[in-house]
Amino acid sequence: MSTLIRRAAAKLRPKYVSKLCSLDLHKTRQFSTWAVPRLDGATTTGLYGFDHLKTPKGFQRFVDEAIERSGELVNRISMMPSSAEIIQAMDEISDTVCSVVDSAELCRHTHPDREFVEEANKASMRINEYLHYLNTNHTLYAAVKRAEQDDHLLTKESHRAAHNLRIDFEKGGIHLSSEKLDRVNQLNMDIFQLSRQFGENISIDPGNVDIFPASRIPKQIHHLLTPIHRFTSGTSGGSLGSWSNMKEKGFRIITEPRNLVSVLHWVADDEVRKMAYIQGNSVPRANLKVLDELIAARHELAQIMGYRSYAEFVVKQNLASSPEVVMSFLCEMSEMIRPKADQEFETIRNFKREKCGQRCIDLEPWDETYYTGMMKSSAHNLDSSIVASYFPLRQCIEGLKVLVKSLFGATFHNVPMAPGESWHPEVLKLSLRHPEEGDLGYLYLDLYSRKGKYPGCANFAIKGGRRISETEYQLPVVALVCNFSGSNSSNVRLNHWEVETLFHEFGHALHSLLSRTDFQHFSGTRVVLDFAEMPSNLFEYYAWDYRVLRTFAKHHSTGEIIPEKLVTSMLGARDMFAATELQRQVFYALVDQTLFGEQQALSRDTSSIVADLKRQYTSWKHVEGTHWQIRFSHLVNYGAGYYSYLYARCFAATIWKKLCQKDPLSLSTGTSLRTKLLQHGGAKEPSEMLNDLVGEGIVRYCNEGIVPDMTGFMDELRLVEDQQATKR
């Protein structure tokens, strides 16, 4: 879909300035700030503080008013005011429509009331149809082009906004003939519908496997599975040995990702693991057709727009600038890690043979999680339940507060919500407040799993920050959504990978909350795709550093601070099979680039392409009959952009090593992160921000594109030194 409105990366999901244009924090202190109206506990409002959303039908009026207000702004722009006024009005249109788009998106994924969800779906469809009108409005396009050429725009951010808006219009096909433009609009609607269908199919058909008897399933995961029974024939205990029906207990494994990972980790019975793996990687079969149609629609769209492939269409405006640069980066990384990954594969296979004896023929994909988990626990004396005992969720939230206080001098405060503002009783609202600058933004926390809720973890934008006038600033509002087991009333404890995920998503949230751009078009995570994941990956480091963990990781019953020795063991376990995990991520990115690349290779079905890539670029075999790609939602949300995660990991590794590692909680570290990176959102060139933050060497230039320097990341994983040792 054309992007007059730049969506925040809701990692489901998910931009640049010189000193002249960077925001003067001393000036901000004089601004009055607002996001949604301040409310006392007695005043009723609607969802997220929007008055229209008091009832499900309010979404209709929300859309009506957004269209009405946008129409007024379009008329104003048609009268050709000054260039500065054009860009300001364009950004207000974007903000107005984004409020509806983002609110509907959050509601669709999290609201427990089906009527609200249905009305949010309708609102989403209507506002996206209106977006096509805006994205093909020649009056707006002409005004933006005129503004871009105007040397009297006062700031670099204004010039950048004009340039990006013009590019966005052209990515929507406004420069095409009417016939081609009509086809582009139809393709965009088809892509929107197919993307939604892909996600709905995953929710509707997660797959299941019935296991008998129940003894084949370890007690650690009984709570995740559904007890079932069947009747079997057998002899009774009577003297005549008569036949009778016996009731046998079993478990139904719903093979959604969280359950599947737990089964693969804990179940010793390799046949159970095999059945769960195959089923979990073979559904929903309806997505085979949906994915084929999505690939075809995106390819046709790209070709009409003058690109060889959808990958080229997507990557052109990113740091990488071309699929060739992306593939070169991925292949270079693949070659660097292959020897270590092969070595790790042999280590796992040998361990399995030691445990199983002669009956083991080979290492299977459903073996990896089970045996690597066993090896990590054995080598580092780790018990996941002991680790989790130091991470009560409430303490983890306190840890995030400590992090923000130490780095940025700001504090989170609980904010009472007005009646109607929340969508569930367990949702919390926090304000981020600076002692000199006042409120910086608002964060909703929706952390617990429940039926019908978005199954993963994501950061959802609700309002982007933007300058309203010389004295007013609209504060950003975001929602951090997770799916931790339990409820607000229970003592929920997190596995450490969940802690890492929480810190990752919090990094996205901070990117939005600390952003101080003039235009919401650039607010927070509204950045080029292969830069969006960098702040969130950087904050993952804080979830592993003992100096940070000791500030909040305390035993749920004794209050004991997590032992440093335990954290050292956790780090050792994390790094045991680092090459295998990195190889998997490279494989995912290669699948993404190939499926949305030039289409000569796609005369074959997607499953055979995935199988060939797995054989070529990983140490593991492909299981015939599985279709892993039909449940990989990043093909929809990050189509041709999954490589961005690997870019982010390289950038984050360098920043951690050069800036944060020495004193990760210092105010000076936080000040650098905020003033040189986070506050600029997308209003400044990413390469300029990165070089300003840590100096030269964090980026490399390759065939007119930019790739991250891998040295810091490879050093961290000890892949380079291991290769040198192997050569010696």
Side-chain angles (χ1 to χ4, degrees):
M1 178 173 298
S2 161
T3 50
L4 172 64
I5 292 180
R6 297 202 171 213
R7 300 298 316 288
K11 187 178 157 236
L12 143 196
R13 35 217 68 157
K15 298 173 180 173
Y16 330 109
V17 184
S18 77
K19 298 289 184 183
L20 176 65
C21 297
S22 60
L23 189 61
D24 186 337
L25 292 178
H26 294 284
K27 288 184 180 178
T28 0
R29 293 169 192 161
Q30 303 169 8
F31 293 171
S32 63
T33 55
W34 61 278
V36 293
R38 289 185 177 273
L39 302 159
D40 58 49
T43 306
T44 60
T45 185
L47 281 177
Y48 328 126
F50 293 114
D51 281 339
H52 289 310
L53 302 184
K54 292 177 180 177
T55 67
K57 295 295 183 185
F59 268 108
Q60 297 179 15
R61 187 60 192 150
F62 200 21
V63 175
D64 290 341
E65 289 212 354
I67 292 174
E68 183 180 334
R69 175 58 182 157
S70 297
E72 293 171 358
L73 291 165
V74 170
N75 289 335
R76 182 191 300 175
I77 292 170
S78 69
M79 299 174 71
M80 287 295 175
S82 70
S83 295
E85 290 173 318
I86 288 171
I87 301 306
Q88 192 72 33
M90 286 295 299
D91 195 63
E92 187 178 344
I93 292 173
S94 182
D95 181 63
T96 300
V97 180
C98 254
S99 295
V100 179
V101 173
D102 291 332
S103 297
E105 195 71 8
L106 177 59
C107 182
R108 286 195 323 109
H109 285 94
T110 62
H111 207 292
D113 186 329
R114 192 66 207 168
E115 189 178 358
F116 261 107
V117 172
E118 289 171 357
E119 289 298 328
N121 277 323
K122 293 176 186 176
S124 181
M125 290 298 299
R126 280 188 64 206
I127 203 69
N128 274 286
E129 288 171 2
Y130 181 66
L131 270 173
H132 290 307
Y133 160 73
L134 292 175
N135 290 330
T136 55
N137 187 301
H138 284 271
T139 298
L140 297 180
Y141 178 52
V144 166
K145 284 202 300 183
R146 184 170 73 87
E148 184 184 9
Q149 296 163 4
D150 189 347
D151 293 332
H152 294 92
L153 280 174
L154 298 179
T155 66
K156 286 187 177 180
E157 186 174 342
S158 297
H159 276 288
R160 187 174 183 81
H163 173 76
N164 283 16
L165 285 165
R166 193 258 302 167
I167 295 295
D168 288 345
F169 272 115
E170 291 172 359
K171 286 186 75 174
I174 197 167
H175 58 297
L176 300 173
S177 67
S178 58
E179 182 181 350
K180 287 184 176 180
L181 182 55
D182 287 344
R183 182 58 184 157
V184 164
N185 287 338
Q186 182 58 54
L187 286 167
N188 277 321
M189 288 305 298
D190 291 347
I191 290 166
F192 179 77
Q193 294 279 23
L194 288 165
S195 299
R196 178 168 292 184
Q197 189 62 54
F198 191 93
E200 288 177 356
N201 287 344
I202 292 172
S203 298
I204 293 167
D205 183 14
N208 67 81
V209 175
D210 291 347
I211 302 298
F212 292 96
S215 58
R216 299 174 77 184
I217 303 293
K219 291 182 179 179
Q220 295 99 317
I221 62 171
H222 282 189
H223 66 288
L224 296 175
L225 312 181
T226 305
I228 55 175
H229 296 86
R230 69 179 178 183
F231 289 98
T232 59
S233 298
T235 58
S236 69
S239 59
L240 297 179
S242 60
W243 288 90
S244 66
N245 286 329
M246 300 174 64
K247 193 175 184 182
E248 182 181 32
K249 182 181 178 182
F251 283 102
R252 172 163 293 171
I253 302 170
I254 306 299
T255 53
E256 57 87 19
R258 181 168 175 266
N259 287 351
L260 182 58
V261 168
S262 295
V263 168
L264 295 177
H265 180 82
W266 290 107
V267 175
D269 188 322
D270 59 352
E271 190 62 29
V272 173
R273 295 199 311 273
K274 177 181 179 180
M275 289 189 290
Y277 176 90
I278 291 175
Q279 179 67 1
N281 286 280
S282 303
V283 293
R285 290 191 64 85
N287 274 354
L288 285 167
K289 183 172 183 289
V290 173
L291 182 58
D292 285 344
E293 292 177 357
L294 180 64
I295 290 169
R298 283 176 166 174
H299 183 66
E300 183 183 350
L301 171 68
Q303 292 213 306
I304 293 174
M305 298 298 298
Y307 295 89
R308 291 171 299 168
S309 68
Y310 185 72
E312 185 179 48
F313 176 67
V314 168
V315 175
K316 179 69 174 176
Q317 303 305 321
N318 291 350
L319 287 167
S321 82
S322 74
E324 290 75 21
V325 170
V326 174
M327 291 298 287
S328 172
F329 166 76
L330 294 174
C331 289
E332 180 184 359
M333 184 173 282
S334 178
E335 289 175 12
M336 292 179 75
I337 62 177
R338 185 64 187 251
K340 183 68 180 295
D342 287 345
Q343 180 185 336
E344 290 175 358
F345 180 87
E346 289 298 323
T347 301
I348 302 166
R349 180 162 61 185
N350 291 339
F351 181 81
K352 178 185 176 182
R353 287 174 174 171
E354 287 175 15
K355 291 294 180 183
C356 302
Q358 293 302 314
R359 65 187 178 88
C360 292
I361 299 173
D362 207 347
L363 190 63
E364 304 291 349
W366 50 84
D367 292 330
E368 180 190 351
T369 303
Y370 180 70
Y371 287 108
T372 56
M374 191 183 299
M375 293 170 74
K376 288 177 180 182
S377 296
S378 174
H380 298 281
N381 194 27
L382 279 178
D383 182 326
S384 60
S385 64
I386 292 176
V387 174
S389 69
Y390 289 96
F391 294 105
L393 178 54
R394 291 180 182 178
Q395 281 300 116
C396 294
I397 299 302
E398 291 305 308
L400 299 178
K401 293 179 179 180
V402 168
L403 193 58
V404 167
K405 175 68 173 175
S406 300
L407 284 173
F408 308 115
T411 52
F412 275 111
H413 298 268
N414 289 332
V415 178
M417 283 182 280
E421 183 178 359
S422 177
W423 55 100
H424 193 274
E426 291 176 339
V427 172
L428 300 176
K429 183 181 181 182
L430 306 175
S431 68
L432 181 60
R433 192 171 300 159
H434 192 278
E436 296 177 1
E437 300 167 46
D439 287 335
L440 300 178
Y442 295 94
L443 173 66
Y444 292 103
L445 296 177
D446 183 0
L447 301 178
Y448 303 99
S449 62
R450 58 180 177 270
K451 186 177 180 180
K453 182 182 174 184
Y454 170 72
C457 295
N459 176 63
F460 289 84
I462 298 173
K463 272 283 188 184
R466 70 186 184 105
R467 193 185 301 273
I468 305 298
S469 69
E470 289 299 315
T471 58
E472 291 179 295
Y473 194 85
Q474 174 177 293
L475 296 182
V477 184
V478 296
L480 199 164
V481 176
C482 293
N483 268 274
F484 302 132
S485 298
S487 67
N488 203 23
S489 59
S490 63
N491 187 21
V492 175
R493 295 188 286 277
L494 304 185
N495 297 311
H496 188 264
W497 69 265
E498 292 175 312
V499 178
E500 184 181 51
T501 299
L502 178 65
F503 274 66
H504 177 103
E505 296 304 335
F506 187 66
H508 282 306
L510 281 180
H511 200 182
S512 294
L513 294 172
L514 295 175
S515 170
R516 281 300 175 273
T517 57
D518 286 349
F519 303 110
Q520 76 86 39
H521 195 74
F522 294 136
S523 180
T525 55
R526 291 181 167 107
V527 300
V528 292
L529 188 60
D530 48 12
F531 188 64
E533 294 293 332
M534 190 280 292
S536 55
N537 273 266
L538 178 63
F539 275 88
E540 288 183 18
Y541 283 86
Y542 284 90
W544 287 98
D545 192 283
Y546 182 69
R547 293 163 292 180
V548 178
L549 293 176
R550 70 187 179 192
T551 67
F552 72 90
K554 300 174 183 178
H555 196 276
H556 69 96
S557 61
T558 67
E560 174 200 13
I561 295 173
I562 190 169
E564 187 170 7
K565 183 179 179 181
L566 177 58
V567 176
T568 301
S569 294
M570 291 160 55
L571 287 164
R574 179 196 67 178
D575 295 340
M576 272 188 77
F577 301 102
T580 298
E581 176 54 36
L582 183 55
Q583 185 183 69
R584 180 172 16 257
Q585 295 302 316
V586 173
F587 163 64
Y588 290 168
L590 286 165
V591 168
D592 180 45
Q593 283 296 307
T594 303
L595 293 182
F596 294 113
E598 294 187 57
Q599 298 294 290
Q600 294 94 325
L602 288 184
S603 55
R604 297 178 300 144
D605 64 278
T606 58
S607 294
S608 63
I609 292 168
V610 169
D612 285 349
L613 289 170
K614 188 169 186 180
R615 295 185 190 102
Q616 183 178 355
Y617 289 102
T618 82
S619 312
W620 296 79
K621 67 174 68 172
H622 172 74
V623 180
E624 293 300 327
T626 59
H627 315 285
W628 157 85
Q629 72 279 9
I630 60 180
R631 201 154 75 174
F632 190 53
S633 59
H634 286 84
L635 293 174
V636 173
N637 304 318
Y638 267 50
Y642 191 80
Y643 75 93
S644 301
Y645 285 102
L646 294 168
Y647 262 48
R649 291 186 70 180
C650 292
F651 287 140
T654 303
I655 293 169
W656 178 260
K657 183 177 181 179
K658 290 189 174 184
L659 177 68
C660 307
Q661 191 172 44
K662 183 177 179 180
D663 192 357
L665 290 174
S666 73
L667 185 60
S668 62
T669 297
T671 299
S672 292
L673 286 173
R674 184 182 177 192
T675 58
K676 295 180 180 180
L677 180 72
L678 298 174
Q679 78 175 25
H680 298 299
K684 192 174 180 179
E685 280 292 343
S687 58
E688 186 180 336
M689 286 190 283
L690 291 167
N691 285 326
D692 190 30
L693 186 64
V694 296
E696 299 291 330
I698 190 170
V699 300
R700 293 183 291 142
Y701 296 90
C702 173
N703 296 328
E704 300 183 359
I706 292 174
V707 297
D709 182 77
M710 298 185 199
T711 307
F713 185 40
M714 293 300 166
D715 285 349
E716 176 187 302
L717 298 178
R718 296 193 295 277
L719 293 177
V720 175
E721 63 187 56
D722 284 354
Q723 283 187 48
Q724 292 171 345
T726 301
K727 288 176 182 177
R728 287 197 296 270

